[in-house]
Amino acid sequence: MLLTTHPKLKPIREKVEAGARLSAEDGLLLYEPDTPLQEIGELANLVRERINGHVAYYNINTHLNPTNVCVYRCNFCAFRADLRDPKGYVMTDEQIVARGREAVEHGCTEMHIVGGLHHQKPFDWYLNIVRILHDAYPPLHLKAWTAVEINWFEFLTKRTVQAVLQDLIDAGLGSLPGGGAEIFHPSVRDQICEHKADADKWLDVHRTAHQLGLKTNCTMLYGHLEQPSHRIDHLVRLRQLQDETGGFQTFIPLAFHPANTGLSHIPKPSSLTDLRTIAVSRLMLDNIPHVKAYWIMLGVGTAQVALSYGADDIDGTVRHELIYHDAGATTPEALSVDDIRRLIAAAGREPVERDTLYRLVVREPAAASRWSVRAAAPCVAG
């Protein structure tokens, strides 16, 4: 039985207990400053445990950012570089394959691949990254290229999103990450990433990916120029597409890190804002099975608390993360499996290793780099 007693929350509590969908108006009420955060967290935890029980998922993964040279100049980004910028780089095929080898040797089941939109590199360069990694290390799941990058490939090739995605699937693509969503509402999106793929295009790429059988993630960047109404609008649009396709696996709220960006005058979101956003997201996104507390952006302590505020996933070891550390993240550049399992257990949850598709990973005790997937995973499909 929930302990929630605040009068404002009574109608929402009744909906949550009945498994009924919250409205946009309900979401806005949850964001009002005088709506008690602890009680919102209690409601979100009820939904979290209804869907995923007491487990908290993690994976052993690595990031690959093949280039930081980018045609776009999003003013929230600290990662990008111009073509002649001293900090600009482009990885060679040999470096990329070596990163794959390192991932496999360290037991990674997933490589997360995103980067800049290099205006002198053809689509075949990006396609080849997927192909050479998949050919060299077939068991390594390649979660590659955001919807913004797919839209760029569409522009480069003058072909459809479906054709671009099919080429990538044929080369070894396993799923799509959720980046590039930022905030959908044009009044904000036009200020922070004016020339980038708009909300309709981002949603269309994911719709097409789902129709082709790809699972994808979805995100929301919060804590910059947006207001609660923009966040709720964003969540409702994601929920609508999930109603249509069922292809989203995980929602990841991304806290804005202002350092070294064009918005460096904006303070970083507080931990209380982080927890409220995670909890509201869990309550609004009733049809997306997982909500991730991305420890790289939240910090380890907040990520632990978030496991009782609606989140059921803490991401993973995250080797070689660059994008958010360039924006001032002070979290470690990687966590060991022991560290992750310990912090999950300390939060009162049961640590469960998953692969990208939320299947249970079973490790051979004598060799952590060798693993298999158990078909009957404890993960809930949603």
Side-chain angles (χ1 to χ4, degrees):
M1 184 68 177
L2 294 178
L3 301 177
T4 304
T5 56
H6 195 284
K8 287 178 65 175
L9 282 174
K10 186 175 185 296
I12 292 178
R13 178 188 64 199
E14 291 172 351
K15 285 186 178 182
V16 171
E17 290 179 334
R21 172 162 286 184
L22 300 190
S23 67
E25 291 72 24
D26 293 330
L28 289 173
L29 186 149
L30 293 170
Y31 263 117
E32 290 180 3
D34 63 340
T35 306
L37 174 58
Q38 184 175 353
E39 297 184 13
I40 298 171
E42 182 186 55
L43 291 171
N45 188 59
L46 173 67
V47 176
R48 176 246 197 272
E49 293 186 357
R50 179 186 296 156
I51 298 172
N52 292 294
H54 290 280
V55 303
Y57 298 107
Y58 70 94
N59 68 339
I60 301 181
N61 63 339
T62 189
H63 283 215
L64 176 71
N65 308 120
T67 181
N68 64 346
V69 175
C70 190
V71 66
Y72 293 134
R73 288 179 165 81
C74 302
N75 63 0
F76 65 84
C77 181
F79 172 71
R80 73 162 303 278
D82 290 322
L83 188 64
R84 294 176 178 81
D85 191 321
K87 82 166 190 173
Y89 71 87
V90 177
M91 294 178 70
T92 65
D93 286 0
E94 292 75 19
Q95 290 172 318
I96 289 166
V97 172
R99 187 67 65 79
R101 184 184 315 115
E102 176 192 342
V104 170
E105 289 173 352
H106 285 83
C108 293
T109 62
E110 172 190 289
M111 179 174 277
H112 177 113
I113 309 171
V114 298
L117 306 180
H118 196 304
H119 41 295
Q120 292 187 357
K121 294 295 182 184
F123 170 58
D124 283 349
W125 183 76
Y126 294 89
L127 182 66
N128 185 59
I129 291 171
V130 174
R131 181 181 294 115
I132 60 177
L133 284 166
H134 181 68
D135 288 350
Y137 306 105
L140 187 62
H141 183 103
L142 303 178
K143 184 175 71 178
W145 312 130
T146 68
V148 171
E149 288 160 309
I150 301 299
N151 177 236
W152 177 248
F153 303 156
E154 182 186 12
F155 169 77
L156 290 177
T157 62
K158 305 297 186 284
R159 298 167 69 222
T160 65
V161 169
Q162 180 174 342
V164 168
L165 285 172
Q166 191 60 60
D167 280 353
L168 289 164
I169 292 169
D170 292 343
L173 179 70
S175 64
L176 261 59
E182 323 311 359
I183 283 287
F184 288 148
H185 200 285
S187 67
V188 178
R189 196 174 187 86
D190 289 350
Q191 294 183 70
I192 64 172
C193 51
E194 181 180 7
H195 300 293
K196 200 157 74 170
D198 64 13
D200 288 342
K201 175 54 67 175
W202 189 98
L203 292 164
D204 181 62
V205 169
H206 283 265
R207 177 183 293 108
T208 304
H210 299 166
Q211 291 168 346
L212 290 172
L214 290 175
K215 293 295 186 181
T216 75
N217 291 343
C218 51
T219 63
M220 177 178 72
L221 184 70
Y222 67 91
H224 43 90
L225 303 180
E226 91 291 351
Q227 298 298 316
S229 61
H230 302 125
R231 297 176 193 168
I232 297 301
D233 170 77
H234 190 101
L235 296 175
V236 169
R237 294 198 205 193
L238 291 175
R239 189 171 72 182
Q240 289 171 341
L241 181 57
Q242 183 73 344
D243 279 344
E244 178 185 339
T245 67
F248 288 128
Q249 296 192 117
T250 310
F251 173 70
I252 308 106
L254 300 174
F256 176 58
H257 282 241
N260 305 315
T261 75
L263 299 172
S264 58
H265 60 287
I266 295 175
K268 178 183 171 184
S270 68
S271 295
L272 296 180
T273 298
D274 295 335
L275 292 173
R276 187 179 294 262
T277 300
I278 286 168
V280 172
S281 300
R282 178 64 286 169
L283 291 167
M284 293 296 295
L285 298 176
D286 52 63
N287 54 2
I288 296 179
H290 304 286
V291 173
K292 184 181 293 185
Y294 187 33
W295 64 262
I296 286 281
M297 301 192 78
L298 297 175
V300 170
T302 302
Q304 282 182 294
V305 177
L307 294 176
S308 294
Y309 276 72
D312 64 282
D313 190 310
I314 205 160
D315 203 278
T317 49
V318 198
R319 301 171 63 84
H320 299 292
E321 197 288 320
L322 297 177
I323 293 174
Y324 300 113
H325 283 96
D326 282 354
T330 58
T331 46
E333 292 192 9
L335 287 178
S336 71
V337 172
D338 287 344
D339 288 337
I340 290 173
R341 294 184 66 88
R342 188 162 42 245
L343 72 87
I344 289 173
R349 300 298 185 184
E350 176 192 350
V352 173
E353 184 184 350
R354 60 165 178 86
D355 71 353
T356 309
L357 302 178
Y358 282 84
R359 297 171 299 188
L360 179 65
V361 173
V362 181
R363 298 275 166 182
E364 295 184 26
S369 63
R370 292 201 297 270
W371 50 272
S372 61
V373 172
R374 184 178 297 169
C379 315
V380 177

